[in-house]
Amino acid sequence: MLENTSLKVYGMTCTLCSMTIESTLEKLEGITKVNVSYASEKARLEYDDTKVKLNDIKKQIELLGFSVDANNGKQPNKKGLTRSEIERRKLKNVFIVSAIFSTPLIMAMILGGLGFCHDNFDPNTATKIGSFIQLLRYKASSLHDWRLQLILATIVQFTVGLKFYKSSFYALKAKSATMDLLVAIGSTAAYLYSVYIVIFQTATYTFGMRNIYFEASATIITLVLLGKFLESSAKSRTSKAIQSLIKLQPKNAKVIKNGLECDISIDKVVVGDIIVVRPGEKIPVDGIILDGYSTVDESMITGESIPIEKKENDSVTGASINKYGTFKFRATKVGNETMLANIIKLVDDAQSSKPPIQKIADKVAGYFIPFVIIVSLYTFVVWYFFIFHRQVFLLDQAIIYAVAVLVVSCPCALGLATPAAIMVGMGMGAQHGILIKDGEELERACKINTIILDKTGTITTGKPEVTDIILLDNKAITGNNERDKKDALLLISAKSEKKSEHPLGKAIYKFAREKFGRELEDIDKFEAVPGKGIFATIKDKSILIGTRKLLEENNIGLKNSGEILNSLHEQGKTAILIAINNNLVGIIALSDKIKDDSIEAVKALKKLNIKVYMLTGDNEKAAFTVAKKVGINNIIAEVQPKDKAQEVDKLRSEGKIVAMVGDGINDAPALATADIGFAMGTGTDVAIETGDIVLLNGELRSLVTAIKLSKRTMRKIKQNLFWAFIYNIFGIPIAAMGYLNPVVASVAMCFSSISVLLNSLSLKRFKL
């Protein structure tokens, strides 16, 4: 049986670590899919549990030198700290220790370079200040004692730096190479050369000994740790959206047990429990209101700031906030089945996904370490053998230039360029009710040049209302007067539509139920004709309700209805024809209100140079009226639900990149056929399952926001990749030419990763 799981992986230092884990796990029998993200530090797996067990997968990751947490680092310990926070604190503490031991070495290098150190003290200095400075210079020279430097550098190299050796060992064992290997080789080369000088070259004096580079080896390790700590802190900020969504989850619920109200933990709530919610409280889980009335703030789910009225039989969503009234509701979804839990999982998965653009960076990173090692060796050979002509006293310079090449190289920036921006962009979208399911969809969304908008529920509210009841045959309907006959026609139509799932049928039934103040009786027979209408039987009456096409197919004459139908269509109304016993007797007209933001959204889409189409099953004249009101020039009318996908395909065959926007239920085939499917919905599970990108608040302005967000995120990704590539393209040659000290190179390497993260975080300034 196929299982899906997510594991938090600690100890990754660059994107090559994630690639090492991926390549190793892919070789295991039973693993069908694996995706390891360096940015989110997560491994997502699909595996056959009959062939491989989860514990075996964990052990395999641990054999590579990493640690694994199945709780994704979210389970707090006794001190309230999560595993992620603990690991970050450990990294900080290791850096502090490394900095303490490295500081004297760095000070020796700086003061020596400034000429401040002096190993002779002249007590006959004229002034007290001069004497004091002489003393400081003499004391500073003690920092150059090779014995002190050897002790300090050895502690940093083989205690603090042990993690780099271990990581390199495990990576090489897995026939891979990571950034840790570059750090280990570079710092070790500087350290061992310095040890060689200390042991094999006679020092004529203890202080002021030159041509040793203990400060380089220790500082490289210290600065890399600093960079990793800052990088870890910045990465935690990129996943802040997930953390804020998790914090939305309520802790307790007021459940009625045996007639008494009691507070219980949220994880003990089960489906069917009756829960009480008072003003100002969070709704604990998803459910249906049984009793009461209130307004609910669902902005944390949908991004819509205006509270929504809720009454009996309405659904409520866990984590939304009850504003004013008190109500009771029955829990329908709890735990990992709630809407919020689904959203958190969806965003979490999406943030770890890889868009096609990342394949470029991954491919380059795969060859990066071997390339850098070759360049470093080549640098040493060229300088020592060809430029310095094997002069031994210049050996140290050739080594230092080669070390600088190793240290300045940074695959981390390449690895972070895409996922860091994706994590921030998708997180921002989720906080505003825009769920982008995958990095691939994000990349495609910014290339859209054609959008098809379904009319009902997308451009309009999807809540049609009865506006006209027109009699065409007074004799066929019984009643004392025209009003009674219209009521009789409405009653027959509403009874026939009682079991209908179509929005128009539901609207007719709802209108009649409210008008007559009661539920209507069931009928003898009901049959729906998708996209056209229904057949029904009430006692001895055969009833057909639907479109003009349905009547024509059943050889029912349209009488003198032509002008009436044209008039209704010109008003943008939908006309439903009613025939009894093969005789057209009347028309019911319905109108669907255009959403407040539809006109504004269509204008915004046109400004983005996107061609907008309206797709509907309505009559062409009625469709044209609605399209004209919102500013759409391209209309595809009278399309059956089953044929919508074909219309999408037609546009795609013309070379257009097509997005389909629908309600996520009856538009499912068209959404799946389009390059990108935008599902409109009010947070329904169906919408989340159907669309590539889900607009939870159901507003068209969110469609524009989603496209703008995708464009801005892709721009950040390209900026990140550009700077990551440029950094290495210029940094490696500059180091190879001898213009970079290893210490400066290590600073530059740290800055490259941090700059990519900060650039990604700047996405948060984008106004949604």
Side-chain angles (χ1 to χ4, degrees), residues 483-494:
R483 180 180 175 181
D484 289 344
K485 289 183 178 183
K486 285 185 178 181
D487 286 348
L489 178 63
L490 174 63
L491 192 61
I492 290 169
S493 303

Side-chain angles (χ1 to χ4, degrees), residues 744-765:
V744 177
S746 58
V747 172
M749 183 267 287
C750 297
F751 177 75
S752 66
S753 296
I754 295 165
S755 63
V756 163
L757 286 166
L758 292 177
N759 188 47
S760 299
L761 286 167
S762 68
L763 256 177
K764 291 189 174 184
R765 294 199 296 268

Side-chain angles (χ1 to χ4, degrees), residues 85-103 155-164 218-229:
E85 291 167 334
I86 292 169
E87 291 293 325
R88 196 152 50 250
R89 283 195 176 189
K90 282 182 183 177
L91 186 57
K92 179 183 177 182
N93 293 335
V94 171
F95 160 69
I96 291 170
V97 171
S98 185
I100 289 170
F101 285 102
S102 299
T103 300
I155 292 171
V156 174
Q157 191 71 38
F158 298 109
T159 56
V160 176
L162 182 62
K163 68 185 294 294
F164 295 105
T219 306
I220 287 168
I221 291 171
T222 303
L223 289 174
V224 169
L225 288 172
L226 172 62
K228 289 299 157 194
F229 172 68

Side-chain angles (χ1 to χ4, degrees), residues 107-137:
M107 290 298 295
M109 178 187 70
I110 294 171
L111 294 175
L114 294 173
F116 190 80
C117 299
H118 204 290
D119 55 4
N120 292 317
F121 176 62
D122 181 7
N124 299 316
T125 308
T127 63
K128 287 185 178 180
I129 293 176
S131 180
F132 177 70
I133 292 172
Q134 281 281 344
L135 181 63
L136 284 180
R137 292 179 70 186

Side-chain angles (χ1 to χ4, degrees), residues 431-448:
Q431 289 177 320
H432 291 81
I434 300 167
L435 302 184
I436 304 170
K437 289 188 177 180
D438 193 90
E440 193 170 342
E441 272 77 49
L442 180 79
E443 186 171 340
R444 279 205 304 264
C446 70
K447 298 175 182 176
I448 293 167

Side-chain angles (χ1 to χ4, degrees), residues 473-694:
D473 189 341
N474 282 313
K475 297 178 181 177
I477 303 292
T478 57
N480 297 325
N481 50 48
E482 186 173 344
R483 180 180 175 181
D484 289 344
K485 289 183 178 183
K486 285 185 178 181
D487 286 348
L489 178 63
L490 174 63
L491 192 61
I492 290 169
S493 303
K495 285 181 180 179
S496 302
E497 295 279 12
K498 184 177 181 180
K499 295 180 181 179
S500 175
E501 291 296 321
H502 195 280
L504 297 176
K506 286 183 175 181
I508 292 172
Y509 181 78
K510 179 185 176 184
F511 180 78
R513 186 183 63 191
E514 291 175 355
K515 181 177 179 64
F516 299 117
R518 60 184 173 86
E519 291 290 334
L520 306 183
E521 303 82 8
D522 290 334
I523 57 175
D524 301 326
K525 186 179 178 182
F526 172 85
E527 180 187 350
V529 182
K532 294 181 181 179
I534 64 158
F535 289 103
T537 303
I538 301 177
K539 295 181 180 178
D540 59 341
K541 293 177 181 175
S542 174
I543 299 162
L544 186 153
I545 302 175
T547 63
R548 178 190 299 198
K549 188 177 289 186
L550 182 63
L551 268 67
E552 289 173 346
E553 287 175 359
N554 286 273
N555 300 314
I556 297 174
L558 298 179
K559 297 183 178 178
N560 57 345
S561 63
E563 288 185 10
I564 297 172
L565 290 173
N566 287 336
S567 174
L568 293 171
H569 292 153
E570 284 170 4
Q571 296 173 54
K573 296 178 179 179
T574 301
I576 303 297
L577 305 176
I578 302 110
I580 300 176
N581 295 331
N582 295 323
N583 178 39
L584 178 62
V585 297
I587 299 171
I588 293 180
L590 300 97
S591 179
D592 193 357
K593 184 183 175 185
I594 293 171
K595 288 181 181 178
D596 295 335
D597 65 332
S598 291
I599 298 171
E600 172 194 337
V602 170
K603 282 181 182 176
L605 289 171
K606 287 181 176 180
K607 281 184 181 178
L608 293 172
N609 294 318
I610 296 173
K611 200 168 186 179
V612 184
Y613 286 76
M614 187 180 83
L615 183 66
T616 179
D618 273 0
N619 175 276
E620 192 170 348
K621 285 187 178 179
F624 178 79
T625 302
V626 174
K628 188 177 180 181
K629 287 179 181 177
V630 295
I632 297 175
N633 301 320
N634 307 292
I635 305 161
I636 307 171
E638 299 183 28
V639 180
Q640 301 297 317
K642 63 183 178 65
D643 297 328
K644 287 183 178 181
Q646 293 177 13
E647 297 296 334
V648 173
D649 247 344
K650 282 180 187 177
L651 291 174
R652 290 187 68 205
S653 66
E654 295 172 10
K656 295 181 171 70
I657 305 214
V658 181
M660 173 69 195
V661 188
D663 61 16
I665 302 172
N666 61 347
D667 298 314
L671 289 168
T673 304
D675 293 295
I676 291 284
F678 287 88
M680 307 288 285
T682 54
T684 63
D685 288 339
V686 178
I688 287 179
E689 288 298 324
T690 306
D692 298 313
I693 298 176
V694 184

Side-chain angles (χ1 to χ4, degrees), residues 56 69 141 146 376 406 423 426 453 457 556 571 652 691 696 722 765:
D56 296 329
D69 182 6
S141 67
W146 65 266
S376 179
L406 293 172
M423 288 176 74
M426 290 185 170
L453 303 176
I556 297 174
Q571 296 173 54
R652 290 187 68 205
L696 290 177
F722 172 79
R765 294 199 296 268

Side-chain angles (χ1 to χ4, degrees), residues 713-741:
T713 304
M714 286 306 300
R715 190 184 305 166
K716 287 295 177 187
I717 289 172
K718 288 172 183 176
Q719 287 173 2
N720 288 346
L721 287 171
F722 172 79
W723 288 115
F725 277 113
I726 287 295
Y727 166 81
N728 285 293
I729 287 169
F730 284 99
I732 293 172
I734 289 171
M737 287 187 290
Y739 293 119
L740 273 184
N741 180 282

